[in-house]
């Protein structure tokens, strides 16, 4: 070991990485680029920056302390974007709240975060206002006009966003005001879904947000550039809309924010009309668009991002067949800002057969630069070989990976050497491709062996009549657990359980075949639009 006392430091400026810079740069370089909200309005970056500065002043006028949490309860819109920028740029913390939470969870989260002000879409007032008296720490409820005509409560705590912003003066440059700030200051707060205990807050910093942004912008990954038109369908309350809004702004790309409606016709019309090139959504949303895909001109699309749950190869292949662009698979977590890996083929797969390329696209992909992943034996904690076969718990480390949770001790979520335990079971291959086997809690334990619900679902949904499927465990006196498949089939389909069994028999081991297929009109979804296996497990237990 050489003598370490002779190390030499670099002499570069320790300028902090800040979100204020991201906005300042977009305004200076790309002032004419557009932020479009649904069919409602179209503003330039210059106008958004002007509102953002005024909003920053308005937060001062409301005496929102530095470091205070500013809640948002809002769909994807230009005003929400202004909050994404003004709140962290002024050293406050943006707490985006999932609008589909139950009153109980929402109150828990807003109380735990100690939100000082909450900004809420007018259309969402009926969902949150009944909780106002149980959230005495929230001093103001600021209503974001969204074209709806929900009654606005007459209450001194209730303010109007547009009035607040237009009456606040425009004040100078963020960057000047912010240059000396510490890049480790908190910028945002998102709570995990709480499927395994109470929701936990992930507190992002300016540094982690900017680095995540740069990581996802890297060419060959999501690779957003100035000529892109980016549409985050994934909600801005779902893990920062996967970094797409900040990424688009940093690249100078135009943004299309779809507003409150998740209607397939609305989303597809926007993609067509705005010539969207990059869009991101969870698989349940991509599935919902399939029937109407052929009716729209999506020829501008070059990149579709999917994650949050596994993208079945059949779904991605449908997009490739209909619009010529597969869905690029990404794995992530709220705790990882959220993007950890990006899938798709690389030059090495150029000569591969089409089937092999489909299999590569089905993987969750390679880690982003600066993200380290490893797979460890659940029992011994020892790292497993990267051979594409050894299954273990996936652990992650990196500059945009959580190192703790906001105001809770969750030591069990981290290893002794500081890696995040993801609760996912996965394999890694020699080239670093991650393949998710299942969430540990979704795995089905049958007769001492494990069945992957994800693989079974991929097999079942490859049947042409199946629209959606979720496989969960049902307690079984002999085998401990057995798989049950909940299936939604196309309108008018006469597909039976026997047809589905016949279809998947060549694809999976015999003992993996579900004990029962339950046909439903729709499947229950979580607040972020993923299939809610907890709800289905409860019904399987009762059935
Ligand atoms: P929650 O799903 O609990 O609301 P997150 O959005 O943070 O919270 O979800 C993270 C989890 O989602 C991961 O740990 C993993 O189980 C699952 N997930 C995310 N992306 C993928 C993917 N591409 N394929 C399979 N599972 C995924």
């Amino acid at each position: 070991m050489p003598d370490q006392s002779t190390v030499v430091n670099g002499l570069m400026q320790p300028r902090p990485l800040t979100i204020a810079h991201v906005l300042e740069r977009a305004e200076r370089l790309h002032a004419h680029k557009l932020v479009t909200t649904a069919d409602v309005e179209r503003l330039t970056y210059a106008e958004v920056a002007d509102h953002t500065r005024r909003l920053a002043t308005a937060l001062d006028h409301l005496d929102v302390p530095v470091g205070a949490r500013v809640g948002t309860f809002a769909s994807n819109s230009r005003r929400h974007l202004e909050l994404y920028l003004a709140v962290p740029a002024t050293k406050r913390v943006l707490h985006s709240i999932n609008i589909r939470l139950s009153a109980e969870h929402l109150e828990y989260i807003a109380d735990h975060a100690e939100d000082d002000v909450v900004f809420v879409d007018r259309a969402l007032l009926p969902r949150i206002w009944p909780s106002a008296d149980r959230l005495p720490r929230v001093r103001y409820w600021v209503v974001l006009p969204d074209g709806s005509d929900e009654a606005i409560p007459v209450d001194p705590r209730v303010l109007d966003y547009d009035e607040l912003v237009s009456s606040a003066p425009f004040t100078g440059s963020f960057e000047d005001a912010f240059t000396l700030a510490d890049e480790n200051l908190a910028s945002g707060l998102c709570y995990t879904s709480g499927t395994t205990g109470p929701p936990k807050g992930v507190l992002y910093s300016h540094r982690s947000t900017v680095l995540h942004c740069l990581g996802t912008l890297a060419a060959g990954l999501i690779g957003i550039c100035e000529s892109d038109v980016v549409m985050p369908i994934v909600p801005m309350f779902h893990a920062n809309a996967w970094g797409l809004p900040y990424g688009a702004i940093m690249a100078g790309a135009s943004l299309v924010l779809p507003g409150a409606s998740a209607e397939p016709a609305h989303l597809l019309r926007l993609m067509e009309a705005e010539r969207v090139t990059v869009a991101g959504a969870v698989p349940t949303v991509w599935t919902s668009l399939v029937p109407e895909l052929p009716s729209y001109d999506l020829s501008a699309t070059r990149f579709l991002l999917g994650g949050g749950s596994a993208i079945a190869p059949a779904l991605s292949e449908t997009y490739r067949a209909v619009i010529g662009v597969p869905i690029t698979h990404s794995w992530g977590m709220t705790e990882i800002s959220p993007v950890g890996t990006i899938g798709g083929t690389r030059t090495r797969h150029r000569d591969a057969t089409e089937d092999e390329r489909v299999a590569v696209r089905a993987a969750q992909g390679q880690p982003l630069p600066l993200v380290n992943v490893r797979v460890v034996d659940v029992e011994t904690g020892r790292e497993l070989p990267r051979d594409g076969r050894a299954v273990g718990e996936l652990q992650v480390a990196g500059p945009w990976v959580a190192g703790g949770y906001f105001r809770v001790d969750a030591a069990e979520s981290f290893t002794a050497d500081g890696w995040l335990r993801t609760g996912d079971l996965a394999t890694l291959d020699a080239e670093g491709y991650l393949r998710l086997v299942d969430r540990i809690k979704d795995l089905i334990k049958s007769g001492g062996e494990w069945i992957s619900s994800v693989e079974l679902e991929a097999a079942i949904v490859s049947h042409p009549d199946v629209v959606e499927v979720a496989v969960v465990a049902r307690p079984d006196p002999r085998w401990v657990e057995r798989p049950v498949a909940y299936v939604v089939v196309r309108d008018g389909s006469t597909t039976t359980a026997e047809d589905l069994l016949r279809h998947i028999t060549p694809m999976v081991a015999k003992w993996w075949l579900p004990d029962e297929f339950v046909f439903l009109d729709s499947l229950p979804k979580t607040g972020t639009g993923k299939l809610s296996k907890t709800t289905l497990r409860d019904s399987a237990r009762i059935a």
Side-chain angles (χ1 to χ4, degrees), residues 98 191-195 238-239 242 306-311 329-336 338 341 364 422-424 436 438-439 441-442 454 526 528 530:
N98 186 331
Y191 279 76
T192 60
S193 70
T195 43
H238 185 191
W242 301 349
S309 306
I311 304 283
H329 211 163
S330 171
W331 168 86
M333 298 174 76
T334 304
E335 287 86 337
I336 312 178
T341 68
Q364 275 73 10
T422 65
D424 286 337
L436 233 79
D438 221 332
R439 288 191 180 201
K441 62 181 178 353
D442 289 345
V454 174
T526 68
T528 49
K530 303 188 196 186

Side-chain angles (χ1 to χ4, degrees), residues 156-473:
R157 290 170 293 176
V158 176
L159 306 172
D160 177 80
Y161 180 87
D162 284 358
E163 276 172 24
L164 203 63
V165 168
S166 59
S167 63
F170 176 96
T171 49
S173 144
F174 278 140
E175 220 187 345
D176 291 347
F178 211 67
T179 305
L180 297 179
D182 175 355
E183 65 183 10
N184 291 308
L185 290 185
S187 62
L189 176 64
C190 280
Y191 279 76
T192 60
S193 70
T195 43
T196 52
K200 296 197 284 287
V202 181
L203 193 60
Y204 309 105
S205 65
H206 282 258
R207 174 187 158 81
S208 71
T209 305
V210 171
L211 287 174
H212 175 259
C213 205
L214 288 171
T216 53
L217 288 184
L221 300 170
I222 301 180
I224 299 172
C225 57
E226 187 271 340
S227 56
D228 276 318
V229 179
V230 179
M231 178 156 134
I233 301 174
V234 49
M236 287 168 79
F237 57 75
H238 185 191
N240 307 312
W242 301 349
L244 292 173
Y246 288 134
I249 294 172
M250 192 181 251
S254 287
L255 261 174
V256 178
L257 301 169
S261 167
E263 283 299 310
H266 167 70
L267 297 176
L268 288 166
R269 197 161 28 77
L270 264 182
M271 287 177 77
E272 176 182 87
E274 302 300 327
R275 310 280 302 150
V276 167
T277 62
V278 176
V282 292
T284 48
V285 170
W286 290 130
T287 302
S288 74
L289 304 189
V290 166
E292 296 183 46
L293 264 189
S295 316
Y296 292 85
D297 171 9
L298 301 182
S299 55
T301 307
R302 68 162 189 83
F303 192 93
L304 298 177
L305 183 66
S309 306
I311 304 283
L315 179 62
S316 177
E317 287 307 296
T318 301
Y319 274 79
R320 201 165 68 87
V322 181
I323 67 166
V325 180
I327 300 174
T328 298
H329 211 163
S330 171
W331 168 86
M333 298 174 76
T334 304
E335 287 86 337
I336 312 178
S337 301
V339 183
T341 68
I342 296 275
T345 54
R346 310 285 183 250
T347 49
R348 198 175 127 30
H349 307 111
R350 251 186 221 148
D351 298 328
T353 64
E354 204 41 62
D355 281 355
E356 286 165 346
R357 292 164 67 87
V358 170
V360 174
R361 283 197 289 267
Q364 275 73 10
Q366 294 175 307
L368 261 51
L370 308 182
V371 172
N372 291 312
V373 294
R374 68 185 182 195
V375 160
V376 306
D377 185 293
V378 178
E379 251 110 65
T380 64
R382 252 205 305 273
E383 188 169 349
L384 293 170
R386 295 166 188 246
D387 59 3
R389 285 197 308 275
V391 177
E393 184 183 28
L394 178 64
Q395 299 183 345
V396 206
W400 55 83
V401 178
Y405 290 96
F406 186 54
R407 293 182 171 164
V408 284
D409 176 23
E412 72 287 352
S413 302
F414 301 91
T415 63
D417 55 350
W419 290 53
L420 173 77
R421 295 182 208 268
T422 65
D424 286 337
L425 286 176
T427 63
L428 283 172
D429 70 17
E431 287 163 344
Y433 271 88
L434 169 76
R435 285 181 179 75
L436 233 79
V437 174
D438 221 332
R439 288 191 180 201
I440 291 178
K441 62 181 178 353
D442 289 345
L443 211 60
I444 300 156
K445 191 174 193 183
S446 176
E449 300 283 348
W450 298 103
I451 298 175
S452 158
S453 65
V454 174
E455 268 184 62
L456 257 181
E457 287 160 7
I460 297 168
V461 86
S462 71
H463 187 286
D465 276 3
V466 174
V467 178
E468 267 183 330
V469 58
V471 174
V472 298

